[in-house]
Amino acid sequence: MRKLVTGAMATALALVTTTPAAIAAAPTMPVNAASAKDDWWKSAVIYELYPRSFADSNNDGIGDLKGVSQHLDYLADLGVDAIWMTPMFPSPQADFGYDVADYDDVDPQFGTVADADQLIAAGKQKGIKLILDFVINHTSDKHPWFVQSRANRTNPYRDFYIWRDGKADGTPPNNWSSIFGGPAWDKDPVTGQYYYHFFYPQQPDLNWRNPKVEKAMFDAAEWWLKRGVYGYRLDAVGTMFEREDLKDNPLTSGKDAFGLAEQNRIYNTELPEVHIELQRLRQQVIDRYPGRILIGETYVGTSAELTKFYGARNDEVQLPMFLSLIGIRPLTADQLRPRIEAVENNPVGGWPCFALNNHDQRRVPSRYVLPAGTTGDDMARITAALLLTLRGTPILYYGEELGMQNNDPKRVEDVQDIIGKKGWPNEKGRDGERTPMQWDASVNAGFNSGAKPWLPVGPDYATRNVTAERKDSNSVLNFYRSLIAERRSNPALAGDMMMVDRGNSNVLSYVRTGGGKRVLTVLNFSGNPADLTLAQLGGGKPGRVIAKNRADLNAAGVHLAPLGLLVVELS
Ligand code: GLC
Ligand code: CA
């Protein structure tokens, strides 16, 4: 869900509980022990790229696949191993690509299948794999399957979607609400029945209980794997199934951002059936292609819920993103520590995966209340130090490495994202975190050569851009570059992890150990300065400083200003 787009939605998320799935006692070894090469994703840095906003090669205001190909050297230099690209399939763009009208093609505004092939081939040469977004819960209402399905009640595609009669009084079949506002049911005048949509009405939910849907979707997944794509990020994976008896969800006390009563979505999210389906997807499709992976958009509250997505035998999603860190307000050491430890020590031995930014969330520098005297860049650095020194695969979001900030719409007339139009001003939508990548100080930040971009370029682009930051040794970009390079070369950052100074509610500290090396990370998330002795940090003699901001290291220990951080080798 999914979306914790704003405060209101984050609250909705916090209320979600999970239908208990019977997970058998979990062995700690994966069943299909992969070869070292097939494990590439464990040491990888993955980069989420929103193609509409990355680079516009033909100057029509919309980013495209050729634009991505033209910037592969930049990504290689940054140290990226794989791109996860959000949907570029043919789409009416009601949800900017998350409403897919054809899984086996490219939308003309993004290019052609030949452009995608070229991107895959060029990426191969530069060591950058392509991962696509698989929108599994729903299609566009313009997908030929839905066009057929709505035509009449006996159409062979009728059961590809979820159709039900309304209640006797003509109201929707039950009380489920859409996470994007309003009822989750729309009555279709053609046949007089309602269809179900967890998201927009333009995104009817597929009926995964129909074996023909599974077959059609598995074929779609294979279509791109055969072309050399390295796997999928599974969109909204927890929403694939809903209870067949359509039991009403319990209502909670609040209202959602769109004015409906909030509900605890226990009967239409996180059903046990999701896991059975994921195992089938792994077995029947993904595992037939070596080294291919599934990443999960897994917005769950706890690590226990996240663990289910690895599968009891590590046979579901290799990288379920632990997105619940994004919802923490304020971001403190004592909130982070238990969550991180729980994921690191998950009972099935699943490999952790963390992301702190994405196309649905306010960017980190604009997300939190900043302590006095600190800037969004300081927040960008401390979260980067966390993400890039944790044990697990980090997923970055384009522009994060520049410290890009949200550029939110000022007027409802300017909003592109429909939830922002519907929810204004409570919910301004997601435009602010999707503005064009800032490449240089030229017109439109180098996103294109002058056509009006689909969203306005951030006001700080003249100084916050790739070219300027590349030259500045203190830039956020160089902070990311050097930490990624360190990750790739220092065996400690591929090794074990142990929290130290665990009672500290302000400062998060941990030691990574591997290949005979040790690296200490110390992160002061609080608004107060902190002084820590080396003994408190687990002992050891500090050596080379790997990264530092607002911090001093001396014989007595470490001094950190608010948001101060230190990453240091221990001898
Ligand atoms: C996921 C996507 C989001 C999209 C939604 C519906 O949450 O990240 O952008 O709107 O699914 O497909
Ligand atoms: Ca374009």
Side-chain angles (χ1 to χ4, degrees), residues 414-436:
D414 299 331
V415 175
Q416 299 282 334
D417 187 15
I418 302 179
I419 52 174
K421 296 184 202 198
K422 290 209 302 200
W424 189 273
N426 286 343
E427 166 59 73
K428 293 186 175 159
R430 298 162 290 181
D431 294 353
E433 54 263 28
R434 298 173 174 179
T435 60

Side-chain angles (χ1 to χ4, degrees), residues 90 111 335 354 392 498 534 538 549 554:
Q335 292 290 318
F354 300 99
M498 202 181 67
L534 292 168
N549 186 42
N554 53 46

Side-chain angles (χ1 to χ4, degrees), residues 3 95 98 138 180 199 233 235 297 359-360 430:
K3 263 11 345 39
D95 192 16
Y98 282 97
H138 48 267
F180 283 174
F199 296 95
R233 173 263 193 187
D235 182 62
E297 190 202 12
H359 64 285
D360 298 325
R430 298 162 290 181

Side-chain angles (χ1 to χ4, degrees), residues 329 357 362-370 376 379 403-408 432:
R329 302 281 189 292
N357 287 280
R362 298 188 66 71
R363 287 181 179 273
V364 156
S366 311
R367 185 185 303 156
Y368 307 101
V369 179
L370 297 172
M379 192 52 98
M404 265 176 70
Q405 310 207 345
N406 260 61
N407 185 23
D408 298 315

